[in-house]
Amino acid sequence: MRIESIKLSKFKQFKDFKIEFTKNNNQDNDFHVIVAKMGVGKSNLLESINWCLYGKEIFGKITKPTDPDVLNNNCLNEDGEHIVKVNLNLLDEKVNYLILRESKFKVNNKKAISLNESHLSFSNYIGMILKDLDAKKEIENLLPEDLRDQFFFNGERLDNYFDEIQGVKISYVIKKMSGLDILESFKDALEKIKSRYLRDIKVNENNLNKKKDLEKKLDRIKDNKKEAEKLLQSQILDLEKAKKRLQDINHKLEKLKEYEIYKKQLESIKNLIQEFEIKKREILEKKAQVVFELSTIIFGWSAIEKVYNENKEIEVNYDYLPTEIIKDALKENKCPICEATLDEKHRNILEKYLSLDKDFIISVKDYNYLTKKILELESVRKNLNSQLGEVLTKIEEYNNKLKSVEKNLSEIHAEELIKLYNEKKELENQIEIINQKIGGFNNQIKFFEKEEKEIESELGKLATGDSNKIFEKIKFVENLQQIILNTIINRRDEIKKEILDYIKENLEKLMWKKDLISDVEFSSNFSLNVYDKYRNMILNRLSGGEKSVLTLSFALAMHKASGVNAPIILDRPLANISGDSYDKLIEMFSKISKEKQIIIMITDKEYQQSVKLLNELATTIHILEMNESSEVKIAEKYVKEVI
């Protein structure tokens, strides 16, 4: 089944509004996106569908079709009568259904009151029109109200679907859709019939008082047994809750057991960082010396080159020779270095030096030496930079490890550890006490059942011969009771298996983390337990996106098990989602829409976050805006073309 269109008249922000969910027959997807800013009316559009079908909201406060709050605010400026209408056009396997709900209100001096006139009509393509109660019955057959929690969702409901309150609703719905509620009612009715037959047993006049006493005692035992059964169920629920909580605490304690490991890791990493910091300092000191030497030469290199180039034609055999020393050497005719008598060759060299009229001279030897020195120092500098890079990489790597370990340690507190151990101890004591109580209540029930049979046997002994037919009826009822009890047990197992198989099938198709959930099981009261491969309960540890997948897998399983083919409508399903899960959920909605219609309502910011993906996957996109009169209109509409 799919919604073809919704038409609203004077419903809240929608004074005159119609939206169509177009889909071509050759399209695989049936995925529709409604985009609007906060406060424009996305939630109220979802509630309009609920109001039309059931006369009440699912997440809002309106509980009856005649509530004046459904009336458009602009109508308060117009005195007189106003009719609020919501019209749904549904398509189910080529059969069209039209559902119309309307309520009449009167406005006087900006105040609306209900005229207590509300009508519901249901019609199909052949022209059959049903009104009010008949229409309500037909809608109930098509889209049961008890199941609406399985096809209307908001972000919060997706996240807390399996909490305690919802668990009670789920149990109720499963019992109702599987017929277990009827079987249990029938079982109770048979018990009352049996009690009535026992009262009809005829006895002699002198045994009447004894019969009355036995009947009173039997009633009291039945009441006690019923109370014990009720308390037993309560204790079973408490036991399940305590076990789940104990699982969570044990999981936390497992993390806390790593405290000492993390501490050792922390110390080891800090020591390694310290060693590399020392290496870094040593390298930096060497590099500083090299750079200093290098810069000393390089800063004066232009002057060195200038002097060298000016004097390179001289065949230099002397190092730096100040002018005064050359003059003294020529005067004394002695070598300025070894003091040997100057021969003509060296004398000519010194005279040539002196004739240059320079303060000092640099030799070719020294020039070549300095050039070589620069190259050597540059090579050393590069090598030190390479070593420094390796050391800095190691320091960064160990700092990241340090942050990770510190984060793990920050989540572990000694006070919390003590608190968790104490709670664990309390829960273990509580579970032991509950198990004792369960054992006690089971023994009580067995005792009461034994007493029941003994009293029934005593009543049988008191009976006169003309009570044989009554005993035949009692026997028949008892046999029927046993058949019903076996049927309840078998049907309970069947529906559990059926729904669980569908959930697992859906999880396999929809969950992107394939090894996250290893198994799902129902408890005795249809509370869902979710396990990892180590048999740890992980429901409370699932992320928002993962819970959304589980919730929709469950909803789809409920649709299939109940035989209801309804669309799924979600108001802000991405509100509590972040990271990779955002796009994964959008892809999941698209995947589900190949089997049933999906309509999601998101904000403009949520739309922009994945605009490219949504434009690629959505069948239609409607962007809603509110005009100056506070009325909602469709500002833009995108329909995916299929070639």
Side-chain angles (χ1 to χ4, degrees):
M1 180 187 292
R2 68 186 309 274
I3 298 175
E4 295 278 284
S5 65
I6 309 169
K7 187 177 180 182
L8 300 93
S9 176
K10 299 183 179 181
F11 184 91
K12 296 195 174 182
Q13 299 105 310
F14 305 91
K15 192 169 185 181
D16 183 17
F17 180 87
K18 184 177 181 180
I19 187 167
E20 296 177 330
F21 302 103
T22 311
K23 178 184 178 293
N24 296 326
N25 291 332
N26 55 345
Q27 281 180 302
D28 289 334
N29 286 16
D30 199 358
F31 178 33
H32 305 270
V33 182
I34 297 171
V35 183
K37 292 181 179 179
M38 295 290 287
V40 168
K42 300 181 298 298
S43 300
N44 283 334
L45 185 58
L46 179 146
E47 294 294 9
S48 72
I49 302 169
N50 274 274
W51 185 82
C52 180
L53 292 171
Y54 311 113
K56 64 181 82 168
E57 294 181 336
I58 184 168
F59 303 120
K61 296 178 180 178
I62 291 172
T63 57
K64 57 184 180 179
T66 55
D67 191 320
D69 285 343
V70 299
L71 184 63
N72 180 271
N73 281 337
N74 288 332
C75 294
L76 299 177
N77 299 320
E78 304 170 24
D79 284 357
E81 291 186 1
H82 297 272
I83 300 176
V84 176
K85 296 180 182 179
V86 176
N87 197 324
L88 283 181
N89 183 357
L90 307 177
L91 179 66
D92 187 20
E93 296 180 356
K94 298 183 180 180
V95 178
N96 269 99
Y97 298 104
L98 297 174
I99 300 170
L100 170 65
R101 186 181 291 276
E102 54 184 26
S103 290
K104 193 179 286 187
F105 302 92
K106 185 175 182 179
V107 172
N108 183 27
N109 195 24
K110 296 186 179 295
K111 187 175 181 181
I113 59 168
S114 172
L115 295 177
N116 291 320
E117 290 185 36
S118 182
H119 299 288
L120 177 66
S121 66
F122 178 96
S123 59
N124 62 20
Y125 73 108
I126 59 172
M128 176 193 75
I129 299 176
L130 300 173
K131 295 286 187 180
D132 298 326
L133 286 177
D134 291 332
K136 185 178 179 181
K137 287 178 184 176
E138 199 63 34
I139 292 167
E140 187 63 24
N141 289 333
L142 204 62
L143 297 165
E145 185 178 345
D146 286 330
L147 272 175
R148 69 175 177 160
D149 278 346
Q150 318 306 322
F151 40 85
F152 291 105
F153 296 92
N154 61 11
E156 186 181 351
R157 178 66 58 82
L158 281 173
D159 196 43
N160 63 16
Y161 188 79
F162 296 102
D163 65 14
E164 192 175 338
I165 296 171
Q166 280 298 114
V168 174
K169 287 185 181 179
I170 290 169
S171 176
Y172 169 76
V173 170
I174 292 176
K175 284 181 179 180
K176 188 159 187 178
M177 77 177 208
S178 62
L180 282 170
D181 61 331
I182 295 171
L183 289 170
E184 287 175 354
S185 296
F186 189 32
K187 182 170 76 76
D188 292 341
L190 287 174
E191 187 61 37
K192 289 177 182 177
I193 290 169
K194 181 182 172 183
S195 296
R196 194 173 69 243
Y197 282 156
L198 285 169
R199 291 182 184 279
D200 289 342
I201 291 173
K202 294 177 182 178
V203 298
N204 293 324
E205 198 74 30
N206 57 343
N207 287 326
L208 278 175
N209 289 333
K210 188 174 182 180
K211 178 176 179 280
K212 286 179 183 179
D213 289 340
L214 287 171
E215 286 172 348
K216 285 179 184 178
K217 188 177 179 182
L218 184 62
D219 287 342
R220 189 167 61 251
I221 288 168
K222 285 181 183 293
D223 289 342
N224 289 339
K225 188 178 96 169
K226 191 174 284 186
E227 183 63 23
E229 288 171 342
K230 186 178 175 183
L231 291 170
L232 176 64
Q233 287 305 312
S234 175
Q235 290 300 314
I236 289 171
L237 289 176
D238 288 345
L239 182 63
E240 287 175 3
K241 283 190 280 185
K243 283 182 176 179
K244 282 182 181 179
R245 178 59 186 156
L246 186 59
Q247 278 265 13
D248 289 338
I249 286 172
N250 282 332
H251 175 71
K252 288 179 181 178
L253 287 171
E254 280 298 318
K255 279 190 77 176
L256 294 179
K257 279 182 183 177
E258 298 168 356
Y259 181 75
E260 290 302 323
I261 298 171
Y262 289 142
K263 276 187 73 176
K264 286 177 182 176
Q265 285 179 353
L266 192 71
E267 291 305 315
S268 174
I269 292 168
K270 282 182 177 178
N271 289 335
L272 285 168
I273 290 172
Q274 192 174 5
E275 287 175 18
F276 281 108
E277 286 288 351
I278 291 168
K279 284 185 182 179
K280 183 178 86 170
R281 282 198 298 273
E282 289 173 353
I283 293 169
L284 286 172
E285 285 172 3
K286 289 178 184 177
K287 184 181 173 184
Q289 184 62 37
V290 169
V291 170
F292 177 75
E293 289 183 45
L294 194 58
S295 61
T296 302
I297 299 171
I298 290 173
F299 286 152
W301 188 250
S302 58
I304 292 168
E305 273 203 317
K306 184 179 178 185
V307 171
Y308 170 72
N309 289 328
E310 286 175 351
N311 306 303
K312 64 183 178 182
E313 72 277 4
I314 300 174
E315 186 182 341
V316 179
N317 293 313
Y318 298 98
D319 289 336
Y320 307 98
L321 294 174
T323 304
E324 292 301 321
I325 292 175
I326 293 173
K327 285 179 179 179
D328 291 342
L330 287 170
K331 184 178 178 182
E332 296 173 3
N333 200 33
K334 286 184 179 181
C335 175
I337 297 170
C338 66
E339 296 187 349
T341 304
L342 290 171
D343 58 20
E344 187 178 348
K345 179 183 176 183
H346 285 92
R347 189 171 181 85
N348 289 337
I349 290 170
L350 290 173
E351 285 175 350
K352 199 168 186 178
Y353 280 163
L354 195 63
S355 68
L356 293 172
D357 194 24
K358 303 289 183 183
D359 290 334
F360 67 89
I361 306 298
I362 185 169
S363 67
V364 172
K365 177 183 172 185
D366 287 335
Y367 180 81
N368 289 337
Y369 169 77
L370 289 172
T371 303
K372 186 181 177 184
K373 186 73 172 174
I374 288 173
L375 293 174
E376 287 174 352
L377 288 170
E378 182 61 16
S379 175
V380 172
R381 186 186 68 81
K382 286 181 178 178
N383 185 42
L384 288 170
N385 276 343
S386 176
Q387 291 179 37
L388 184 63
E390 290 175 7
V391 169
L392 289 174
T393 300
K394 284 290 183 184
I395 289 173
E396 184 182 5
E397 178 188 329
Y398 284 117
N399 272 323
N400 288 334
K401 286 183 179 179
L402 186 69
K403 285 177 185 176
S404 175
V405 173
E406 284 176 339
K407 183 178 180 293
N408 288 329
L409 277 172
S410 70
E411 296 171 358
I412 301 172
H413 304 286
E415 289 180 8
E416 184 185 357
L417 190 63
I418 295 166
K419 185 179 175 183
L420 286 171
Y421 271 119
N422 288 337
E423 189 174 354
K424 179 184 178 181
K425 192 174 179 181
E426 286 175 13
L427 281 167
E428 286 172 341
N429 290 335
Q430 186 181 336
I431 288 169
E432 187 178 346
I433 291 167
I434 291 172
N435 278 322
Q436 288 173 359
K437 286 182 178 179
I438 287 172
F441 288 130
N442 277 322
N443 289 334
Q444 282 184 32
I445 291 165
K446 287 177 184 176
F447 172 75
F448 292 140
E449 286 173 347
K450 184 183 175 185
E451 281 207 319
E452 268 186 283
K453 287 180 180 177
E454 287 175 356
I455 292 171
E456 286 169 7
S457 176
E458 284 189 56
L459 284 169
K461 290 174 184 176
L462 295 177
T464 56
D466 51 0
S467 296
N468 289 336
K469 287 185 178 179
I470 294 174
F471 281 116
E472 287 175 9
K473 289 178 181 179
I474 290 171
K475 187 64 178 174
F476 174 78
V477 170
E478 286 176 342
N479 291 337
L480 197 53
Q481 278 181 308
Q482 191 58 49
I483 292 169
I484 294 298
L485 183 61
N486 291 338
T487 304
I488 287 172
I489 293 168
N490 293 335
R491 182 58 184 140
R492 187 184 291 272
D493 291 341
E494 283 173 8
I495 195 66
K496 278 184 180 180
K497 185 179 184 306
E498 187 178 4
I499 295 173
L500 289 172
D501 286 346
Y502 288 145
I503 291 173
K504 291 172 187 176
E505 180 186 325
N506 291 323
L507 283 172
E508 182 63 31
K509 285 192 291 186
L510 303 176
M511 182 64 81
W512 49 89
K513 294 182 180 177
K514 298 299 181 185
D515 58 346
L516 178 67
I517 296 175
S518 176
D519 198 12
V520 287
E521 291 178 358
F522 276 127
S523 65
S524 58
N525 69 322
F526 293 102
S527 173
L528 191 69
N529 295 324
V530 183
Y531 299 94
D532 64 12
K533 60 185 177 183
Y534 304 109
R535 292 298 294 173
N536 294 316
M537 291 184 186
I538 58 169
L539 180 59
N540 294 335
R541 284 179 254 149
L542 298 178
S543 69
E546 291 156 2
K547 280 184 181 177
S548 296
V549 177
L550 181 63
T551 298
L552 291 173
S553 297
F554 183 86
L556 291 168
M558 293 288 280
H559 285 212
K560 208 162 183 178
S562 63
V564 171
N565 180 21
I568 291 179
I569 304 163
L570 305 107
D571 180 24
R572 297 205 60 205
L574 306 172
N576 301 320
I577 308 301
S578 60
D580 293 341
S581 299
Y582 206 89
D583 285 351
K584 295 288 186 185
L585 272 183
I586 292 170
E587 290 169 355
M588 181 191 71
F589 295 143
S590 175
K591 196 180 289 186
I592 295 172
S593 76
K594 292 179 181 179
E595 298 179 16
K596 60 171 63 250
Q597 186 184 44
I598 298 289
I599 300 171
I600 69 169
M601 302 174 183
I602 60 176
T603 66
D604 52 333
K605 291 180 181 177
E606 290 165 347
Y607 176 57
Q608 288 302 323
Q609 192 165 330
S610 291
V611 61
K612 186 177 178 182
L613 184 62
L614 285 164
N615 288 346
E616 178 189 338
L617 298 178
T619 312
T620 67
I621 297 174
H622 293 83
I623 298 176
L624 310 185
E625 287 184 359
M626 191 176 282
N627 63 19
E628 294 177 356
S629 303
S630 298
E631 296 173 9
V632 178
K633 301 291 181 183
I634 296 174
E636 293 179 47
K637 179 180 178 181
Y638 159 80
V639 179
K640 188 172 185 179
E641 294 183 5
V642 179
I643 300 172

